[in-house]
Short mmCIF file of all heavy atoms in Angstrom, two decimals:
data_model
loop_
_atom_site.label_atom_id
_atom_site.label_comp_id
_atom_site.label_asym_id
_atom_site.label_seq_id
_atom_site.Cartn_x
_atom_site.Cartn_y
_atom_site.Cartn_z
N LYS A 180 0.84 -1.19 0.00
CA LYS A 180 0.00 0.00 0.00
C LYS A 180 0.88 1.24 0.00
O LYS A 180 1.97 1.25 0.53
CB LYS A 180 -0.90 0.00 1.22
CG LYS A 180 -1.76 -1.23 1.28
CD LYS A 180 -3.08 -0.92 1.92
CE LYS A 180 -3.85 -2.21 1.96
NZ LYS A 180 -5.15 -2.13 1.49
N TYR A 181 0.33 2.30 -0.59
CA TYR A 181 1.01 3.59 -0.65
C TYR A 181 0.10 4.65 -0.05
O TYR A 181 -1.13 4.53 -0.10
CB TYR A 181 1.35 3.95 -2.10
CG TYR A 181 2.41 3.06 -2.67
CD1 TYR A 181 2.08 1.87 -3.28
CD2 TYR A 181 3.75 3.42 -2.58
CE1 TYR A 181 3.06 1.04 -3.80
CE2 TYR A 181 4.73 2.59 -3.09
CZ TYR A 181 4.38 1.41 -3.69
OH TYR A 181 5.36 0.58 -4.19
N PHE A 182 0.72 5.65 0.51
CA PHE A 182 -0.02 6.74 1.14
C PHE A 182 0.45 8.07 0.58
O PHE A 182 1.64 8.29 0.40
CB PHE A 182 0.22 6.74 2.65
CG PHE A 182 -0.27 5.51 3.34
CD1 PHE A 182 0.53 4.39 3.41
CD2 PHE A 182 -1.53 5.47 3.91
CE1 PHE A 182 0.10 3.24 4.04
CE2 PHE A 182 -1.97 4.32 4.55
CZ PHE A 182 -1.16 3.20 4.61
N VAL A 183 -0.51 8.94 0.32
CA VAL A 183 -0.21 10.35 0.06
C VAL A 183 -0.42 11.02 1.41
O VAL A 183 -1.42 10.77 2.09
CB VAL A 183 -1.15 10.93 -1.00
CG1 VAL A 183 -0.95 12.44 -1.13
CG2 VAL A 183 -0.92 10.26 -2.34
N TYR A 184 0.52 11.87 1.79
CA TYR A 184 0.41 12.53 3.09
C TYR A 184 0.71 14.01 2.95
O TYR A 184 1.40 14.44 2.02
CB TYR A 184 1.35 11.89 4.11
CG TYR A 184 2.81 12.09 3.78
CD1 TYR A 184 3.52 13.15 4.34
CD2 TYR A 184 3.48 11.25 2.90
CE1 TYR A 184 4.86 13.36 4.04
CE2 TYR A 184 4.80 11.45 2.58
CZ TYR A 184 5.50 12.50 3.16
OH TYR A 184 6.81 12.72 2.85
N MET A 185 0.16 14.78 3.87
CA MET A 185 0.46 16.20 3.95
C MET A 185 0.87 16.49 5.38
O MET A 185 0.21 16.06 6.33
CB MET A 185 -0.76 17.05 3.58
CG MET A 185 -0.46 18.55 3.59
SD MET A 185 -1.92 19.59 3.24
CE MET A 185 -2.26 19.12 1.55
N ILE A 186 1.99 17.21 5.49
CA ILE A 186 2.45 17.64 6.81
C ILE A 186 2.45 19.16 6.86
O ILE A 186 2.47 19.82 5.82
CB ILE A 186 3.84 17.06 7.15
CG1 ILE A 186 4.88 17.43 6.10
CG2 ILE A 186 3.75 15.55 7.34
CD1 ILE A 186 6.30 16.96 6.42
N GLU A 187 2.41 19.68 8.07
CA GLU A 187 2.34 21.12 8.28
C GLU A 187 3.23 21.49 9.46
O GLU A 187 3.34 20.72 10.42
CB GLU A 187 0.88 21.49 8.56
CG GLU A 187 0.63 22.95 8.86
CD GLU A 187 -0.83 23.20 9.16
OE1 GLU A 187 -1.28 22.80 10.26
OE2 GLU A 187 -1.51 23.76 8.31
N ASN A 188 3.82 22.67 9.40
CA ASN A 188 4.58 23.15 10.55
C ASN A 188 3.84 24.30 11.22
O ASN A 188 2.75 24.68 10.78
CB ASN A 188 6.02 23.52 10.17
CG ASN A 188 6.12 24.76 9.32
OD1 ASN A 188 5.14 25.44 9.04
ND2 ASN A 188 7.32 25.08 8.89
N CYS A 189 4.41 24.86 12.28
CA CYS A 189 3.71 25.89 13.05
C CYS A 189 3.56 27.20 12.28
O CYS A 189 2.75 28.05 12.65
CB CYS A 189 4.39 26.12 14.38
SG CYS A 189 6.10 26.65 14.22
N ALA A 190 4.31 27.39 11.20
CA ALA A 190 4.19 28.58 10.35
C ALA A 190 3.22 28.35 9.19
O ALA A 190 3.17 29.14 8.25
CB ALA A 190 5.56 28.98 9.83
N ASN A 191 2.47 27.25 9.24
CA ASN A 191 1.50 26.88 8.20
C ASN A 191 2.14 26.56 6.85
O ASN A 191 1.51 26.68 5.81
CB ASN A 191 0.41 27.93 8.03
CG ASN A 191 -0.51 27.97 9.22
OD1 ASN A 191 -0.84 26.92 9.78
ND2 ASN A 191 -0.89 29.16 9.64
N ARG A 192 3.41 26.16 6.86
CA ARG A 192 4.07 25.66 5.65
C ARG A 192 3.62 24.21 5.47
O ARG A 192 3.49 23.48 6.44
CB ARG A 192 5.58 25.74 5.82
CG ARG A 192 6.35 25.25 4.61
CD ARG A 192 7.83 25.38 4.85
NE ARG A 192 8.27 26.76 4.81
CZ ARG A 192 8.74 27.38 3.73
NH1 ARG A 192 8.83 26.71 2.59
NH2 ARG A 192 9.13 28.63 3.78
N HIS A 193 3.40 23.80 4.22
CA HIS A 193 2.93 22.44 3.94
C HIS A 193 3.91 21.69 3.04
O HIS A 193 4.61 22.30 2.24
CB HIS A 193 1.56 22.49 3.26
CG HIS A 193 0.50 23.04 4.14
ND1 HIS A 193 0.17 24.37 4.14
CD2 HIS A 193 -0.27 22.45 5.08
CE1 HIS A 193 -0.79 24.57 5.03
NE2 HIS A 193 -1.07 23.42 5.62
N TYR A 194 3.88 20.38 3.18
CA TYR A 194 4.67 19.49 2.33
C TYR A 194 3.78 18.30 2.01
O TYR A 194 3.12 17.74 2.90
CB TYR A 194 5.93 19.03 3.07
CG TYR A 194 6.78 18.08 2.27
CD1 TYR A 194 7.80 18.54 1.45
CD2 TYR A 194 6.57 16.70 2.34
CE1 TYR A 194 8.58 17.67 0.71
CE2 TYR A 194 7.33 15.82 1.59
CZ TYR A 194 8.34 16.31 0.79
OH TYR A 194 9.11 15.45 0.06
N ILE A 195 3.74 17.89 0.74
CA ILE A 195 2.95 16.75 0.30
C ILE A 195 3.90 15.72 -0.28
O ILE A 195 4.80 16.05 -1.06
CB ILE A 195 1.92 17.17 -0.76
CG1 ILE A 195 0.96 18.20 -0.19
CG2 ILE A 195 1.16 15.95 -1.28
CD1 ILE A 195 0.06 18.85 -1.23
N GLY A 196 3.71 14.45 0.09
CA GLY A 196 4.57 13.40 -0.41
C GLY A 196 3.87 12.05 -0.45
O GLY A 196 2.70 11.93 -0.11
N ILE A 197 4.64 11.04 -0.85
CA ILE A 197 4.17 9.65 -0.95
C ILE A 197 5.09 8.78 -0.10
O ILE A 197 6.30 8.99 -0.09
CB ILE A 197 4.21 9.15 -2.40
CG1 ILE A 197 3.28 9.95 -3.28
CG2 ILE A 197 3.84 7.67 -2.48
CD1 ILE A 197 3.42 9.61 -4.74
N THR A 198 4.51 7.79 0.56
CA THR A 198 5.30 6.86 1.36
C THR A 198 4.54 5.55 1.52
O THR A 198 3.34 5.48 1.25
CB THR A 198 5.61 7.46 2.75
OG1 THR A 198 6.48 6.59 3.46
CG2 THR A 198 4.34 7.68 3.56
N THR A 199 5.24 4.53 1.98
CA THR A 199 4.59 3.28 2.34
C THR A 199 4.37 3.21 3.85
O THR A 199 3.68 2.32 4.33
CB THR A 199 5.44 2.06 1.91
OG1 THR A 199 6.73 2.18 2.49
CG2 THR A 199 5.54 1.99 0.39
N ASP A 200 4.93 4.16 4.58
CA ASP A 200 4.84 4.16 6.04
C ASP A 200 4.78 5.61 6.56
O ASP A 200 5.82 6.22 6.82
CB ASP A 200 6.03 3.43 6.64
CG ASP A 200 5.96 3.26 8.14
OD1 ASP A 200 5.15 3.94 8.80
OD2 ASP A 200 6.73 2.45 8.67
N PRO A 201 3.57 6.16 6.72
CA PRO A 201 3.45 7.56 7.12
C PRO A 201 4.09 7.90 8.47
O PRO A 201 4.67 8.97 8.62
CB PRO A 201 1.93 7.79 7.17
CG PRO A 201 1.35 6.74 6.31
CD PRO A 201 2.28 5.56 6.43
N LYS A 202 4.02 7.00 9.44
CA LYS A 202 4.61 7.28 10.76
C LYS A 202 6.13 7.39 10.66
O LYS A 202 6.73 8.29 11.22
CB LYS A 202 4.22 6.20 11.76
CG LYS A 202 2.77 6.26 12.16
CD LYS A 202 2.41 5.16 13.13
CE LYS A 202 0.92 5.18 13.41
NZ LYS A 202 0.52 4.11 14.32
N ARG A 203 6.74 6.46 9.94
CA ARG A 203 8.20 6.50 9.74
C ARG A 203 8.61 7.76 9.00
O ARG A 203 9.58 8.42 9.34
CB ARG A 203 8.68 5.26 8.98
CG ARG A 203 10.17 5.32 8.62
CD ARG A 203 10.59 4.23 7.63
NE ARG A 203 9.73 4.08 6.47
CZ ARG A 203 9.77 4.84 5.37
NH1 ARG A 203 10.64 5.82 5.26
NH2 ARG A 203 8.96 4.61 4.36
N ARG A 204 7.83 8.11 7.99
CA ARG A 204 8.17 9.27 7.17
C ARG A 204 8.12 10.57 7.99
O ARG A 204 8.97 11.44 7.83
CB ARG A 204 7.23 9.35 5.97
CG ARG A 204 7.68 10.32 4.92
CD ARG A 204 8.95 9.82 4.24
NE ARG A 204 9.38 10.78 3.24
CZ ARG A 204 10.52 11.45 3.29
NH1 ARG A 204 11.38 11.23 4.26
NH2 ARG A 204 10.82 12.32 2.35
N LEU A 205 7.14 10.70 8.87
CA LEU A 205 7.06 11.88 9.73
C LEU A 205 8.29 11.95 10.64
O LEU A 205 8.86 13.03 10.82
CB LEU A 205 5.79 11.87 10.57
CG LEU A 205 5.61 13.06 11.50
CD1 LEU A 205 5.53 14.37 10.70
CD2 LEU A 205 4.39 12.87 12.38
N ILE A 206 8.71 10.82 11.16
CA ILE A 206 9.92 10.78 11.99
C ILE A 206 11.13 11.25 11.18
O ILE A 206 11.96 12.02 11.67
CB ILE A 206 10.14 9.37 12.57
CG1 ILE A 206 9.06 9.05 13.61
CG2 ILE A 206 11.53 9.22 13.16
CD1 ILE A 206 8.98 7.60 14.03
N GLU A 207 11.22 10.81 9.94
CA GLU A 207 12.32 11.24 9.08
C GLU A 207 12.29 12.75 8.84
O GLU A 207 13.33 13.41 8.90
CB GLU A 207 12.28 10.49 7.74
CG GLU A 207 12.61 9.03 7.87
CD GLU A 207 12.39 8.24 6.59
OE1 GLU A 207 11.86 8.80 5.60
OE2 GLU A 207 12.73 7.05 6.59
N HIS A 208 11.11 13.30 8.60
CA HIS A 208 11.01 14.75 8.40
C HIS A 208 11.44 15.50 9.66
O HIS A 208 12.16 16.49 9.58
CB HIS A 208 9.58 15.15 8.02
CG HIS A 208 9.21 14.85 6.61
ND1 HIS A 208 9.76 15.51 5.53
CD2 HIS A 208 8.33 13.95 6.09
CE1 HIS A 208 9.22 15.04 4.41
NE2 HIS A 208 8.36 14.09 4.73
N ASN A 209 11.02 15.03 10.81
CA ASN A 209 11.32 15.72 12.06
C ASN A 209 12.74 15.48 12.57
O ASN A 209 13.24 16.25 13.38
CB ASN A 209 10.30 15.38 13.14
CG ASN A 209 9.01 16.15 12.93
OD1 ASN A 209 9.04 17.32 12.56
ND2 ASN A 209 7.89 15.50 13.15
N SER A 210 13.40 14.45 12.08
CA SER A 210 14.78 14.18 12.50
C SER A 210 15.79 14.96 11.67
O SER A 210 16.97 15.00 12.00
CB SER A 210 15.08 12.68 12.41
OG SER A 210 15.19 12.29 11.05
N GLY A 211 15.33 15.55 10.57
CA GLY A 211 16.22 16.33 9.72
C GLY A 211 16.83 15.56 8.58
O GLY A 211 17.71 16.06 7.89
N SER A 212 16.38 14.34 8.34
CA SER A 212 16.97 13.54 7.27
C SER A 212 16.39 13.86 5.89
O SER A 212 16.84 13.32 4.89
CB SER A 212 16.85 12.04 7.57
OG SER A 212 15.50 11.65 7.64
N THR A 213 15.40 14.74 5.84
CA THR A 213 14.84 15.19 4.56
C THR A 213 15.28 16.64 4.35
O THR A 213 14.86 17.54 5.07
CB THR A 213 13.30 15.09 4.57
OG1 THR A 213 12.94 13.75 4.85
CG2 THR A 213 12.72 15.50 3.23
N LYS A 214 16.14 16.84 3.37
CA LYS A 214 16.77 18.14 3.15
C LYS A 214 15.76 19.28 2.97
O LYS A 214 15.93 20.37 3.53
CB LYS A 214 17.66 18.04 1.92
CG LYS A 214 18.82 18.97 1.90
CD LYS A 214 19.68 18.72 0.67
CE LYS A 214 21.13 18.86 1.02
NZ LYS A 214 22.00 18.68 -0.12
N SER A 215 14.71 19.03 2.20
CA SER A 215 13.78 20.11 1.87
C SER A 215 12.91 20.55 3.05
O SER A 215 12.39 21.67 3.05
CB SER A 215 12.88 19.71 0.71
OG SER A 215 12.10 18.59 1.06
N THR A 216 12.74 19.71 4.06
CA THR A 216 11.90 20.08 5.20
C THR A 216 12.70 20.34 6.47
O THR A 216 12.15 20.83 7.44
CB THR A 216 10.85 18.99 5.49
OG1 THR A 216 11.51 17.75 5.75
CG2 THR A 216 9.88 18.83 4.32
N MET A 217 13.99 20.03 6.45
CA MET A 217 14.83 20.16 7.64
C MET A 217 14.77 21.55 8.29
O MET A 217 14.63 21.65 9.50
CB MET A 217 16.27 19.78 7.31
CG MET A 217 17.19 19.84 8.50
SD MET A 217 18.88 19.27 8.18
CE MET A 217 19.23 19.83 6.56
N PRO A 218 14.88 22.65 7.54
CA PRO A 218 14.92 23.97 8.18
C PRO A 218 13.59 24.41 8.80
O PRO A 218 13.56 25.42 9.50
CB PRO A 218 15.29 24.92 7.04
CG PRO A 218 15.64 24.09 5.88
CD PRO A 218 15.08 22.73 6.10
N PHE A 219 12.53 23.69 8.54
CA PHE A 219 11.20 24.16 8.93
C PHE A 219 10.54 23.29 10.01
O PHE A 219 9.33 23.34 10.19
CB PHE A 219 10.30 24.24 7.70
CG PHE A 219 10.92 25.01 6.57
CD1 PHE A 219 11.42 24.35 5.46
CD2 PHE A 219 11.05 26.38 6.64
CE1 PHE A 219 12.01 25.04 4.42
CE2 PHE A 219 11.64 27.10 5.61
CZ PHE A 219 12.13 26.43 4.50
N ARG A 220 11.33 22.50 10.70
CA ARG A 220 10.81 21.60 11.73
C ARG A 220 10.28 22.39 12.92
O ARG A 220 10.70 23.52 13.15
CB ARG A 220 11.92 20.66 12.21
CG ARG A 220 12.40 19.74 11.13
CD ARG A 220 13.54 18.90 11.60
NE ARG A 220 14.76 19.72 11.66
CZ ARG A 220 15.91 19.31 12.18
NH1 ARG A 220 16.00 18.12 12.71
NH2 ARG A 220 16.95 20.09 12.19
N PRO A 221 9.37 21.82 13.71
CA PRO A 221 8.78 20.48 13.63
C PRO A 221 7.55 20.42 12.71
O PRO A 221 6.92 21.43 12.43
CB PRO A 221 8.37 20.19 15.07
CG PRO A 221 8.00 21.53 15.62
CD PRO A 221 8.95 22.51 14.95
N TRP A 222 7.24 19.20 12.29
CA TRP A 222 6.12 18.92 11.41
C TRP A 222 5.10 18.04 12.12
O TRP A 222 5.44 17.27 13.00
CB TRP A 222 6.60 18.19 10.16
CG TRP A 222 7.51 19.01 9.31
CD1 TRP A 222 8.88 19.02 9.36
CD2 TRP A 222 7.14 19.94 8.31
NE1 TRP A 222 9.37 19.91 8.46
CE2 TRP A 222 8.34 20.49 7.79
CE3 TRP A 222 5.93 20.38 7.80
CZ2 TRP A 222 8.33 21.44 6.77
CZ3 TRP A 222 5.93 21.31 6.78
CH2 TRP A 222 7.12 21.84 6.28
N LYS A 223 3.83 18.14 11.68
CA LYS A 223 2.79 17.22 12.12
C LYS A 223 2.00 16.79 10.90
O LYS A 223 1.86 17.55 9.93
CB LYS A 223 1.87 17.86 13.16
CG LYS A 223 1.07 19.03 12.63
CD LYS A 223 0.18 19.62 13.70
CE LYS A 223 -0.58 20.82 13.11
NZ LYS A 223 -1.47 21.43 14.07
N THR A 224 1.51 15.57 10.92
CA THR A 224 0.70 15.05 9.82
C THR A 224 -0.70 15.61 9.94
O THR A 224 -1.32 15.54 11.00
CB THR A 224 0.66 13.51 9.84
OG1 THR A 224 2.00 13.01 9.77
CG2 THR A 224 -0.14 12.97 8.68
N ILE A 225 -1.21 16.16 8.84
CA ILE A 225 -2.57 16.69 8.86
C ILE A 225 -3.50 15.96 7.89
O ILE A 225 -4.70 16.17 7.92
CB ILE A 225 -2.60 18.21 8.58
CG1 ILE A 225 -2.02 18.53 7.20
CG2 ILE A 225 -1.88 18.97 9.68
CD1 ILE A 225 -2.28 19.97 6.76
N TYR A 226 -2.92 15.08 7.03
CA TYR A 226 -3.76 14.39 6.05
C TYR A 226 -3.04 13.16 5.52
O TYR A 226 -1.84 13.21 5.24
CB TYR A 226 -4.06 15.33 4.88
CG TYR A 226 -4.85 14.71 3.76
CD1 TYR A 226 -6.23 14.54 3.87
CD2 TYR A 226 -4.23 14.28 2.60
CE1 TYR A 226 -6.96 13.97 2.84
CE2 TYR A 226 -4.95 13.70 1.57
CZ TYR A 226 -6.31 13.55 1.69
OH TYR A 226 -7.04 12.98 0.68
N THR A 227 -3.74 12.04 5.42
CA THR A 227 -3.22 10.85 4.74
C THR A 227 -4.36 10.22 3.93
O THR A 227 -5.52 10.30 4.31
CB THR A 227 -2.67 9.78 5.71
OG1 THR A 227 -3.69 9.39 6.61
CG2 THR A 227 -1.46 10.27 6.47
N GLU A 228 -3.98 9.62 2.83
CA GLU A 228 -4.92 8.92 1.96
C GLU A 228 -4.22 7.67 1.44
O GLU A 228 -3.08 7.74 1.00
CB GLU A 228 -5.32 9.85 0.81
CG GLU A 228 -6.50 9.39 0.03
CD GLU A 228 -6.98 10.44 -0.98
OE1 GLU A 228 -6.53 11.60 -0.92
OE2 GLU A 228 -7.78 10.07 -1.85
N GLU A 229 -4.90 6.54 1.50
CA GLU A 229 -4.30 5.24 1.14
C GLU A 229 -4.67 4.82 -0.28
O GLU A 229 -5.80 5.01 -0.72
CB GLU A 229 -4.80 4.19 2.13
CG GLU A 229 -4.17 2.84 1.97
CD GLU A 229 -4.63 1.87 3.05
OE1 GLU A 229 -4.88 2.30 4.19
OE2 GLU A 229 -4.76 0.69 2.72
N PHE A 230 -3.68 4.21 -0.96
CA PHE A 230 -3.87 3.72 -2.33
C PHE A 230 -3.27 2.34 -2.49
O PHE A 230 -2.33 1.99 -1.80
CB PHE A 230 -3.21 4.68 -3.34
CG PHE A 230 -3.84 6.04 -3.34
CD1 PHE A 230 -3.36 7.03 -2.51
CD2 PHE A 230 -4.92 6.31 -4.15
CE1 PHE A 230 -3.95 8.27 -2.48
CE2 PHE A 230 -5.52 7.56 -4.13
CZ PHE A 230 -5.03 8.54 -3.30
N GLU A 231 -3.80 1.58 -3.42
CA GLU A 231 -3.31 0.23 -3.68
C GLU A 231 -2.03 0.23 -4.51
O GLU A 231 -1.21 -0.68 -4.38
CB GLU A 231 -4.37 -0.61 -4.39
CG GLU A 231 -5.56 -0.96 -3.50
CD GLU A 231 -5.16 -1.83 -2.31
OE1 GLU A 231 -4.32 -2.74 -2.49
OE2 GLU A 231 -5.69 -1.59 -1.22
N SER A 232 -1.85 1.24 -5.36
CA SER A 232 -0.68 1.24 -6.23
C SER A 232 0.07 2.57 -6.13
O SER A 232 -0.51 3.61 -5.80
CB SER A 232 -1.08 1.01 -7.68
OG SER A 232 -1.72 2.15 -8.21
N ARG A 233 1.36 2.51 -6.45
CA ARG A 233 2.17 3.72 -6.47
C ARG A 233 1.67 4.69 -7.56
O ARG A 233 1.67 5.90 -7.38
CB ARG A 233 3.64 3.36 -6.70
CG ARG A 233 4.55 4.56 -6.72
CD ARG A 233 6.00 4.15 -6.74
NE ARG A 233 6.87 5.29 -6.92
CZ ARG A 233 7.19 6.18 -5.97
NH1 ARG A 233 6.72 6.01 -4.75
NH2 ARG A 233 7.97 7.20 -6.23
N LYS A 234 1.22 4.13 -8.66
CA LYS A 234 0.71 4.95 -9.77
C LYS A 234 -0.48 5.80 -9.32
O LYS A 234 -0.55 6.99 -9.63
CB LYS A 234 0.32 4.04 -10.94
CG LYS A 234 -0.16 4.78 -12.16
CD LYS A 234 -0.47 3.82 -13.29
CE LYS A 234 -0.97 4.58 -14.50
NZ LYS A 234 -1.28 3.70 -15.62
N GLU A 235 -1.41 5.18 -8.60
CA GLU A 235 -2.57 5.92 -8.10
C GLU A 235 -2.14 7.00 -7.10
O GLU A 235 -2.65 8.12 -7.13
CB GLU A 235 -3.55 4.98 -7.39
CG GLU A 235 -4.25 4.00 -8.30
CD GLU A 235 -5.05 2.98 -7.51
OE1 GLU A 235 -4.49 2.35 -6.59
OE2 GLU A 235 -6.25 2.84 -7.81
N ALA A 236 -1.21 6.66 -6.23
CA ALA A 236 -0.72 7.61 -5.23
C ALA A 236 -0.03 8.80 -5.91
O ALA A 236 -0.24 9.95 -5.52
CB ALA A 236 0.20 6.93 -4.24
N CYS A 237 0.77 8.52 -6.92
CA CYS A 237 1.47 9.59 -7.64
C CYS A 237 0.47 10.53 -8.32
O CYS A 237 0.64 11.76 -8.29
CB CYS A 237 2.41 9.02 -8.68
SG CYS A 237 3.91 8.32 -8.00
N ALA A 238 -0.56 9.97 -8.91
CA ALA A 238 -1.57 10.79 -9.58
C ALA A 238 -2.26 11.70 -8.56
O ALA A 238 -2.49 12.89 -8.83
CB ALA A 238 -2.59 9.91 -10.29
N ARG A 239 -2.57 11.17 -7.41
CA ARG A 239 -3.24 11.97 -6.37
C ARG A 239 -2.29 13.04 -5.81
O ARG A 239 -2.70 14.18 -5.58
CB ARG A 239 -3.72 11.06 -5.24
CG ARG A 239 -4.41 11.78 -4.12
CD ARG A 239 -5.69 12.44 -4.58
NE ARG A 239 -6.41 12.95 -3.43
CZ ARG A 239 -7.18 14.03 -3.44
NH1 ARG A 239 -7.37 14.69 -4.56
NH2 ARG A 239 -7.78 14.43 -2.35
N GLU A 240 -1.03 12.68 -5.62
CA GLU A 240 -0.05 13.65 -5.13
C GLU A 240 0.03 14.84 -6.09
O GLU A 240 -0.01 15.99 -5.66
CB GLU A 240 1.33 13.00 -5.00
CG GLU A 240 2.40 13.97 -4.57
CD GLU A 240 3.80 13.41 -4.70
OE1 GLU A 240 4.03 12.50 -5.53
OE2 GLU A 240 4.68 13.88 -3.96
N TRP A 241 0.14 14.58 -7.40
CA TRP A 241 0.23 15.65 -8.38
C TRP A 241 -1.04 16.49 -8.41
O TRP A 241 -0.99 17.70 -8.59
CB TRP A 241 0.58 15.10 -9.75
CG TRP A 241 2.05 14.79 -9.81
CD1 TRP A 241 2.61 13.54 -9.84
CD2 TRP A 241 3.13 15.71 -9.82
NE1 TRP A 241 3.97 13.66 -9.85
CE2 TRP A 241 4.32 14.98 -9.85
CE3 TRP A 241 3.20 17.11 -9.81
CZ2 TRP A 241 5.57 15.58 -9.86
CZ3 TRP A 241 4.45 17.71 -9.82
CH2 TRP A 241 5.63 16.95 -9.85
N HIS A 242 -2.18 15.84 -8.21
CA HIS A 242 -3.45 16.57 -8.17
C HIS A 242 -3.46 17.54 -6.98
O HIS A 242 -3.89 18.70 -7.10
CB HIS A 242 -4.63 15.60 -8.08
CG HIS A 242 -5.95 16.28 -7.94
ND1 HIS A 242 -6.59 16.86 -8.98
CD2 HIS A 242 -6.73 16.47 -6.85
CE1 HIS A 242 -7.73 17.40 -8.55
NE2 HIS A 242 -7.83 17.18 -7.27
N LEU A 243 -3.01 17.07 -5.82
CA LEU A 243 -2.98 17.92 -4.63
C LEU A 243 -1.96 19.06 -4.76
O LEU A 243 -2.19 20.15 -4.24
CB LEU A 243 -2.66 17.10 -3.39
CG LEU A 243 -3.75 16.13 -2.93
CD1 LEU A 243 -3.22 15.23 -1.82
CD2 LEU A 243 -4.99 16.88 -2.48
N LYS A 244 -0.87 18.80 -5.45
CA LYS A 244 0.17 19.83 -5.61
C LYS A 244 -0.20 20.86 -6.68
O LYS A 244 0.38 21.94 -6.71
CB LYS A 244 1.51 19.18 -5.97
CG LYS A 244 2.14 18.47 -4.80
CD LYS A 244 3.47 17.87 -5.19
CE LYS A 244 4.18 17.26 -4.01
NZ LYS A 244 5.48 16.72 -4.38
N ASP A 245 -1.13 20.51 -7.54
CA ASP A 245 -1.51 21.40 -8.65
C ASP A 245 -2.27 22.61 -8.21
O ASP A 245 -2.89 22.85 -7.35
CB ASP A 245 -2.33 20.62 -9.68
CG ASP A 245 -2.52 21.41 -10.97
OD1 ASP A 245 -1.79 22.37 -11.19
OD2 ASP A 245 -3.43 21.02 -11.71
#
């Protein structure tokens, strides 16, 4: 399974991505191992949506980013 997720920081900055494990991915964002979100920590998950295929998740991610 794949998940599209959205995280938010206290300044209302958002990040949208895809993962197979939303809890692990949030830990990675908050630990600083993701370069693009490191300067804006801490993050909290505000949205997740589950998909059966990576293709479906990618399509939804692009729709949300559009």
